Amino acid sequence: MKYKLKNFFIDGLKAQNLAKRYNTPIYCYSFKKLKENIDEFKRNFSYFKPLICFSVKANSNKILLKEMRRLGLGADVVSIGELMKALKSGIRPNKIVFSGVGKTMHELNYAITKKILLINTESKSEIFSIEKIAKSKKIKVDIGIRLNPNTDANTLSQISTGKKENKFGISEKMFLNLVNYVKKSKYLNLKCLSVHIGSQILNVKPYEKMLKVLDKIIKKTHYHFEYVDLGGGMGINYENNNKNLDLRKYSSSIKRFIKKHNSKIIFEPGRSIIGNTGVLISRIIYIKDGYKKNFIILDAAMNDLIRPALYNSKHRIIPAKKNNTKSKKTYEFVGPICESTDKFLTVKKFQKLNEKDLIIICDVGAYGMSLSSNYNLRPKAIELLIKNSKVQIINKRQNLKDLI
Ligand SMILES: *Cc1c(COP(=O)(O)O)cnc(C)c1O
């Protein structure tokens, strides 16, 4: 993804041509970037060869899941829908883990029938539910227990999951009780200790603290966990300012941890695998002079990309064609939806824009399309994958007829 002679290209294809051919807004993904991310992830952790279970909630496009499966990834799912889609994408059950605080009997039953690698349980009641199903089937089910390590991930409060006030995981005291309970169960096989402390983590310290907590608690259990599932949460650089999570440092800490505990490592990355592989191409409908700023009204909106409205997150916006000018007005990029939170970014000194110009919203591969909706009865965008300079429609633009 780069500029060539002022025009933005996605792996050899000009954004403007894609917009002409497929209309806008477009979610467009780069296969090259996806492969690079996965290769780099594997390289950083090559010492212990973790099982990498892609967090399907970050992006559940079936073609992308198939590509990830071919590149060796498994899946981390949080609902029966995601589990079915992961299986449909050809991901083998022994590479699938199932997380989430509210799995229903129906969902648990399905997961057990499919013999997935692990159900990561998040409460005593859920463990009892699984035991009940296993007993009725006269089988032993492999489970993990998700610990709430009470570790501050130093990320946005909305995407923090490992503090004691969060609904996720099980407190240390309860964890120790449950380990003892499951050890004795005829129908449960305790295979894994799992954690996931939050998302968009850019500092290695919370992970190091988390590993210390795990170290302590594993010693207290006197139990050997075949797997330790460290979750995901690795942050990406949305602002392009070279602030990156030091994965090599994280890797060294895990190395030391493994030397003590000799467990296989599972990761559940979402954002760090898929986040920077996608852009949202959008066309300017109108430009409107406000009191203090100019509103750039796009044909993409919060229904397509809700992260700015939901988490106040900032996605870089760049022009599809550079023109070497600078606007004196402040631009606010907004969508057409009838909500004041339907805005993407406020920028000073952007290049001068005109109605019908194309812009690119960057790094939308994770929690972009998967969090999209039909609010204001807007059909969902088309999704394209560029692989070896060829376009593949990996999800058709939703039809108005389907909505009405
Ligand atoms: C959301 C989630 C992930 C993925 O988080 P990223 O920040 O996208 O890496 C992993 N594990 C669990 C349990 C999750 O809920």
Side-chain angles (χ1 to χ4, degrees), residues 117-118 191-193 225-229 263-266:
L117 179 66
L118 286 171
K191 288 218 150 183
C192 180
L193 162 54
F225 290 91
E226 185 179 340
Y227 295 97
V228 171
D229 179 345
S263 300
K264 283 179 239 166
I265 298 294
I266 299 174

Side-chain angles (χ1 to χ4, degrees), residues 292-294 296 314-318 327-334 344-351 353:
K292 284 202 169 147
K293 45 196 175 189
N294 278 1
I296 310 296
K314 308 254 185 295
H315 286 267
R316 272 184 310 129
I317 295 183
I318 55 176
S327 165
K328 290 194 189 92
K329 284 270 189 153
T330 297
Y331 283 158
E332 183 158 293
F333 291 90
V334 303
F344 294 110
L345 198 66
T346 307
V347 207
K348 281 181 184 151
K349 293 184 190 150
F350 204 81
Q351 75 174 38
L353 290 170

Side-chain angles (χ1 to χ4, degrees), residues 9 22-23 29 44 59 74 93 106-107 129 165 176 181 184 235 251 264 281 297 314 317 330-331 333 376 393 396:
F9 280 77
Y22 298 102
N23 214 344
Y29 304 93
N44 275 308
N59 193 316
H106 176 61
E107 290 181 305
S129 296
E165 61 265 36
L176 293 170
Y181 177 82
K184 288 181 222 137
S251 186
K264 283 179 239 166
I281 307 172
I297 303 169
K314 308 254 185 295
I317 295 183
T330 297
Y331 283 158
F333 291 90
N376 278 206
I393 299 176
K396 282 189 284 198

Side-chain angles (χ1 to χ4, degrees), residues 233-244:
M234 297 84 166
I236 63 169
N237 191 345
Y238 284 107
E239 283 158 61
N240 224 5
N241 57 5
N242 292 322
K243 264 194 224 154
N244 277 317

Side-chain angles (χ1 to χ4, degrees), residues 373-374 376-381 395-404:
S373 77
N374 290 123
N376 278 206
L377 270 197
R378 291 168 50 89
K380 291 194 187 188
N395 203 6
K396 282 189 284 198
R397 187 179 299 288
Q398 231 177 13
N399 200 320
L400 262 184
K401 269 193 214 144
D402 299 336
L403 297 182
I404 296 166

Side-chain angles (χ1 to χ4, degrees), residues 122-277:
E122 304 213 18
S123 64
K124 187 157 106 182
S125 306
E126 185 185 3
I127 290 175
F128 291 166
S129 296
I130 296 171
E131 196 176 35
K132 209 161 127 191
I133 297 170
K135 191 173 177 185
S136 73
K137 293 184 191 289
K138 300 192 177 69
I139 53 169
K140 209 161 180 177
V141 174
D142 295 340
I143 66 163
I145 305 181
R146 178 168 173 182
L147 172 75
N148 181 326
N150 191 19
T151 308
D152 191 341
N154 282 326
T155 186
L156 292 170
S157 64
Q158 298 100 319
I159 51 177
S160 168
T161 56
K163 289 198 279 182
K164 60 180 177 219
E165 61 265 36
N166 298 130
K167 69 179 172 183
F168 302 98
I170 289 172
S171 71
E172 182 175 329
K173 195 170 152 214
M174 179 64 86
F175 183 90
L176 293 170
N177 285 335
L178 287 173
V179 169
N180 279 328
Y181 177 82
V182 176
K183 268 198 285 198
K184 288 181 222 137
S185 169
K186 274 205 310 202
Y187 302 102
L188 298 172
N189 204 354
L190 180 56
K191 288 218 150 183
C192 180
L193 162 54
S194 81
V195 278
H196 171 71
I197 58 173
S199 201
Q200 185 54 16
I201 297 169
L202 285 170
N203 190 320
V204 73
K205 290 219 174 74
Y207 283 125
E208 291 174 341
K209 268 192 220 157
M210 171 188 94
L211 287 170
K212 270 192 199 138
V213 174
L214 295 190
D215 181 44
K216 249 175 42 196
I217 201 161
I218 292 174
K219 277 182 192 145
K220 280 189 199 165
T221 60
H222 304 291
Y223 187 79
H224 175 251
F225 290 91
E226 185 179 340
Y227 295 97
V228 171
D229 179 345
L230 297 173
M234 297 84 166
I236 63 169
N237 191 345
Y238 284 107
E239 283 158 61
N240 224 5
N241 57 5
N242 292 322
K243 264 194 224 154
N244 277 317
L245 174 65
D246 190 344
L247 282 183
R248 301 221 334 245
K249 218 166 167 190
Y250 187 23
S251 186
S252 319
S253 307
I254 299 170
K255 242 192 241 178
R256 287 193 293 276
F257 177 86
I258 295 175
K259 281 192 181 137
K260 280 193 230 164
H261 300 288
N262 193 28
S263 300
K264 283 179 239 166
I265 298 294
I266 299 174
F267 284 122
E268 304 168 346
R271 193 189 310 273
S272 53
I273 298 292
I274 202 81
N276 65 2
T277 68

